[in-house]
């Protein structure tokens, strides 16, 4: 299920809150090796996790599966503060909404992960439409931008910079009904392909069991 909640709403969902921040720690600190601060419980919480933040996420029975954080750039912008070289072409975005901390739960199978990402992006697009958010922007790896594009939401690359291990990109995404339709269509197409593969594989599995 998709949720868009503020920091107070997240605090009321203790299990969901803990799993999301723990997964962020595992992804950004454990896997990517970023020198981010963890709290005493091993959770990755930074200065932008404040009252201005909105958390868009996909959850299953109170457990985090995928998420991203939205925050008005006018209240403090992570790109401007930590990626000044990229921000040189992003100054016009100060009145827009910044997206950061794209995160997926560990342990998801490839199909589950793609579904969670699609559900997150579709919910995010709808949330932006409902709240008159004209565009969102953020810094991502090219691989993340590619996943988002393949899910049906192509962004506009505003700037690029060389990172330690991989290039970083400042990307702007514009929500629309066409984008929502594209995400939904690609999700349904994937599910149809997966269903056909299962149908083909089932007779072979039965023969092995027999």
């Amino acid at each position: 299920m998709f949720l868009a909640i503020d920091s107070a709403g997240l605090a009321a969902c203790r299990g969901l809150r803990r799993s999301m921040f723990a997964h962020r720690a595992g992804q950004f600190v454990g896997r990517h090796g970023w020198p981010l601060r963890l709290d005493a419980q091993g959770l990755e919480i930074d200065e932008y996790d404040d009252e201005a933040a909105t958390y868009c996420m996909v959850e299953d029975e109170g457990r985090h599966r995928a998420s991203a954080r939205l925050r008005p750039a006018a209240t403090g912008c992570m790109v401007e503060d930590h990626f000044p070289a990229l921000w040189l072409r992003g100054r016009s975005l100060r009145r827009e909404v910044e997206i950061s901390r794209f995160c997926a739960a560990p342990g998801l199978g490839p199909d589950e992960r793609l579904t969670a990402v699609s559900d997150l992006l579709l919910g995010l697009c709808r949330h932006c439409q409902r709240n008159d958010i004209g565009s969102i922007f953020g810094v991502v790896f090219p691989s993340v931008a590619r996943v988002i594009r393949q899910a049906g939401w192509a962004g506009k690359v505003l700037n690029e910079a060389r990172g330690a291990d991989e290039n970083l990109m400042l990307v702007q995404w514009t929500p629309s009904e066409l984008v929502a339709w594209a995400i939904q269509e690609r999700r349904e197409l994937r599910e149809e392909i997966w269903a056909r593969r299962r149908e083909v594989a089932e007779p072979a599995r039965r023969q092995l069991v027999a």
Side-chain angles (χ1 to χ4, degrees):
M1 180 175 69
F2 176 83
L3 296 174
I5 55 178
D6 59 16
S7 57
L10 183 63
C13 304
R14 294 184 179 180
L16 183 59
R17 177 185 182 277
R18 180 177 178 79
S19 62
M20 185 192 73
F21 286 128
H23 292 165
R24 276 176 33 174
Q27 178 170 313
F28 298 113
V29 179
R31 184 149 61 91
H32 292 303
W34 292 2
L36 303 177
R37 183 179 65 252
L38 303 182
D39 70 6
Q41 297 178 308
L43 307 181
E44 192 279 303
I45 303 173
D46 66 19
E47 65 269 33
Y48 305 101
D49 291 304
D50 58 12
E51 295 179 355
T54 297
Y55 300 93
C56 293
M57 65 178 68
V58 175
E59 62 87 24
D60 182 25
E61 297 183 352
R63 291 284 297 175
H64 167 263
R65 294 181 72 82
S67 63
R69 178 180 63 196
L70 296 179
R71 199 168 180 277
T75 63
C77 178
M78 188 171 71
V79 179
E80 181 179 15
D81 295 341
H82 298 283
F83 303 97
L86 289 170
W87 185 247
L88 290 175
R89 296 184 183 177
R91 294 173 180 173
S92 62
L93 301 171
R94 194 177 297 279
R95 296 180 181 179
E96 303 297 331
V97 174
E98 182 178 34
I99 187 166
S100 58
R101 292 301 192 263
F102 281 106
C103 180
L108 297 178
D111 294 355
E112 290 180 308
R113 187 182 182 89
L114 284 173
T115 297
V117 169
S118 291
D119 289 348
L120 173 64
L121 293 174
L122 180 59
L124 173 63
C125 183
R126 293 297 192 197
H127 171 76
C128 291
Q129 289 179 287
R130 287 193 299 268
N131 291 275
D132 295 323
I133 298 174
S135 71
I136 55 179
F137 71 91
V139 171
V140 295
F141 291 121
S143 55
V144 174
R146 183 171 60 252
V147 168
I148 296 172
R149 183 177 66 253
Q150 291 173 344
W153 198 346
K156 178 182 179 182
V157 179
L158 303 178
N159 206 350
E160 293 187 63
R162 173 69 64 178
D165 301 313
E166 189 177 0
N167 284 356
L168 294 172
M169 304 168 65
L170 176 60
V171 183
Q172 182 180 31
W173 295 272
T174 301
S176 68
E177 193 61 33
L178 184 61
V179 166
W181 178 83
I183 296 170
Q184 182 66 36
E185 183 183 45
R186 294 192 184 192
R187 185 188 190 283
E188 292 174 355
L189 179 60
R190 283 198 306 271
E191 290 181 344
E192 182 179 343
I193 292 172
W194 294 338
R196 290 178 180 175
R197 288 177 179 173
R198 287 192 293 269
E199 289 177 0
V200 171
E202 183 61 20
R205 188 192 68 82
R206 290 179 179 176
Q207 288 181 354
L208 289 174
V209 172

